[in-house]
Amino acid sequence: MLRFYTMTKTEKTIFHAIGKISFDKMMFTKSLISLMLFISLLHFNTKGQGISFATSLQEVYNNSNILQISKQKSEVANSVKKGINSAWLPSVNVLGGYTWMSNDINVSQQYKSLLTPFDEYFDKNVISQGIGSLIYNFLGDKSFTVPIIDHQWASLDAVLTYPIFTGGKRLWATQIGNELKNIGQLEYLQVSDGIFLAWVEIYYGYLLSKHYENVREENYNSLKNHFEKVVSFQSNGIANQMDYLVAKVAMEEAERELKSAQRHTSFFRYSFCDIMGHDSSCNYYPISTFFTCKNLPDMAWFIQNYHNSFIIKILDSKRKITQNTIKINQGDYLPIIVVFGKQNLASYNMPQNLSPRSIVGATLTCNIFDGL
């Protein structure tokens, strides 16, 4: 007698995944579910170790390279978001440099221009005039040199910069980072649900193909036994040549159908073992029963989940990223204000009066004309 089961947590998850992936995928899986209504009444008669759907699904997740890649993409998107946000935080850099020049930097000054203020004093008496003439004659055409910077010098500075206004780029870039993180998470969930649905098809497809093979095998054995009886009857004169041919053709057709069913079962068994990360000689077989059509949600449920699918959400996030990118480009025409500070940590041959040890200021940058 056909029994109906209450939906388990796994079954509800299956329908949730169906609604999230795509409507076409949902219709295919719905057809598969309808095809397996009688599985709960059958038993998997084979040697080996039975494995439930939940346990096998966990092994599939653990051995799925594409799921691991998707997870890493999600982590990369999260790192990109953090990197974007950190671009607007204060930054401290240490700048150091060594310079070698072909000559020293100095200032030359003639004595004559420095002695001019003494002319009035020297003109007051004869003695002073003689002394002044002597000084002019000795130093008038000569000059002296004052060194400024040596031909080699070095400096080590700490510089702090903090953008306090960026034309709105900070807000829009943060929103882009959030959408990138959201896309990474959605793609991971999309891949996870895709693997889930693929495993539903393989797991229960293997179960169904094995039952189909058993039916074909029983059919073949029955027709083979019938053929053997017809041969025996023909030898005793009870059956004629036509009965013999009919029985033989039916047996051969049943044998071909059995071999075809065995090939299908071998394909599902190979996929069943390979996706779980085992070789083709594994002895696992499915033991979980499925549910009937009575527990299927109505069509409105599928339509609602279709409109909330991962693909639509990902496209919506990409649309928001494009809009915010345009806003960032438009923000290039707004002024950018940055506060900065510099502190000299060490210097070599750099006089303090020429290069202050501490500097604090603000810069404003505004794009007035960029050629277009």
Side-chain angles (χ1 to χ4, degrees):
M1 183 178 183
L2 186 62
R3 294 182 300 169
F4 297 97
Y5 296 91
T6 304
M7 290 184 68
T8 63
K9 182 178 180 181
T10 301
E11 295 161 0
K12 293 179 180 179
T13 307
I14 291 174
F15 282 116
H16 176 75
I18 293 171
K20 289 293 184 180
I21 292 297
S22 68
F23 187 73
D24 294 337
K25 190 72 173 179
M26 176 272 295
M27 294 302 297
F28 177 78
T29 308
K30 182 179 178 182
S31 300
L32 178 65
I33 294 171
S34 301
L35 187 62
M36 295 188 293
L37 297 179
F38 65 93
I39 291 181
S40 60
L41 306 176
L42 303 175
H43 298 280
F44 204 91
N45 298 319
T46 185
K47 295 180 180 179
Q49 180 181 354
I51 185 170
S52 66
F53 179 82
T55 303
S56 61
L57 179 63
Q58 189 60 43
E59 289 196 24
V60 171
Y61 281 155
N62 294 337
N63 292 280
S64 175
N65 293 329
I66 188 173
L67 186 63
Q68 297 300 324
I69 293 173
S70 179
K71 183 177 181 180
Q72 292 178 359
K73 287 183 178 180
S74 178
E75 294 174 352
V76 169
N78 190 29
S79 299
V80 171
K81 174 182 177 297
K82 294 179 180 178
I84 292 175
N85 292 336
S86 65
W88 315 112
L89 298 176
S91 61
V92 179
N93 302 306
V94 176
L95 303 178
Y98 169 80
T99 303
W100 183 89
M101 299 181 295
S102 59
N103 56 274
D104 297 340
I105 298 178
N106 49 57
V107 176
S108 297
Q109 179 67 46
Q110 289 186 343
Y111 287 106
K112 183 177 180 179
S113 60
L114 298 177
L115 295 175
T116 300
F118 295 97
D119 289 346
E120 183 179 353
Y121 174 77
F122 291 147
D123 291 340
K124 291 182 180 179
N125 54 71
V126 178
I127 297 177
S128 298
Q129 290 179 356
I131 297 175
S133 298
L134 181 64
I135 295 174
Y136 272 111
N137 292 333
F138 182 75
L139 299 176
D141 296 331
K142 296 182 179 181
S143 62
F144 63 94
T145 301
V146 178
I148 303 299
I149 300 177
D150 193 76
H151 70 282
Q152 56 179 348
W153 56 276
S155 177
L156 182 66
D157 304 306
V159 180
L160 182 145
T161 57
Y162 179 47
I164 59 176
F165 180 74
T166 59
K169 295 180 181 179
R170 179 184 306 179
L171 175 62
W172 299 321
T174 301
Q175 293 178 0
I176 290 177
N178 293 334
E179 294 301 332
L180 288 174
K181 180 181 177 181
N182 187 40
I183 289 176
Q185 293 174 346
L186 290 174
E187 289 180 344
Y188 174 77
L189 294 175
Q190 184 182 25
V191 171
S192 177
D193 280 5
I195 294 174
F196 185 96
L197 289 180
W199 186 242
V200 168
E201 297 173 9
I202 293 175
Y203 185 91
Y204 291 103
Y206 181 30
L207 185 62
L208 179 61
S209 67
K210 186 59 181 177
H211 290 313
Y212 180 74
E213 179 187 348
N214 293 338
V215 171
R216 287 302 174 187
E217 186 176 2
E218 293 176 0
N219 182 51
Y220 169 73
N221 292 333
S222 176
L223 291 176
K224 182 179 179 182
N225 184 46
H226 174 69
F227 174 74
E228 292 174 350
K229 289 182 178 180
V230 169
V231 172
S232 176
F233 291 158
Q234 186 182 24
S235 62
N236 295 327
I238 301 176
N240 56 26
Q241 184 68 16
M242 181 177 294
D243 296 330
Y244 170 82
L245 293 176
V246 171
K248 183 179 180 181
V249 169
M251 182 189 68
E252 291 176 349
E253 179 66 21
E255 183 180 8
R256 286 193 296 269
E257 292 178 350
L258 174 60
K259 290 181 179 180
S260 176
Q262 289 173 341
R263 287 194 297 270
H264 280 84
T265 302
S266 298
F267 167 76
F268 276 107
R269 182 175 62 84
Y270 175 81
S271 301
F272 183 83
C273 295
D274 183 68
I275 295 179
M276 283 199 302
H278 304 284
D279 54 32
S280 58
S281 61
C282 74
N283 59 352
Y284 289 110
Y285 62 89
I287 59 174
S288 296
T289 58
F290 214 62
F291 48 91
T292 65
C293 287
K294 182 177 180 180
N295 293 318
L296 285 173
D298 55 14
M299 184 57 66
W301 185 90
F302 290 99
I303 295 175
Q304 180 182 2
N305 281 275
Y306 166 75
H307 291 295
N308 294 324
S309 65
F310 293 127
I311 296 178
I312 294 179
K313 289 182 178 180
I314 290 174
L315 291 176
D316 184 62
S317 294
K318 290 183 178 180
R319 177 184 61 82
K320 292 178 181 179
I321 289 176
T322 303
Q323 292 176 345
N324 289 323
T325 301
I326 294 175
K327 293 179 181 178
I328 288 178
N329 294 333
Q330 294 173 345
D332 290 338
Y333 298 95
L334 297 176
I336 298 176
I337 302 175
V338 178
V339 176
F340 70 93
K342 188 187 75 142
Q343 175 64 45
N344 181 258
L345 303 178
S347 61
Y348 172 71
N349 283 340
M350 177 58 67
Q352 184 173 357
N353 61 322
L354 297 179
S355 177
R357 294 295 183 256
S358 300
I359 299 177
V360 177
T363 62
L364 184 146
T365 304
C366 184
N367 186 0
I368 299 177
F369 179 73
D370 60 357
L372 292 176

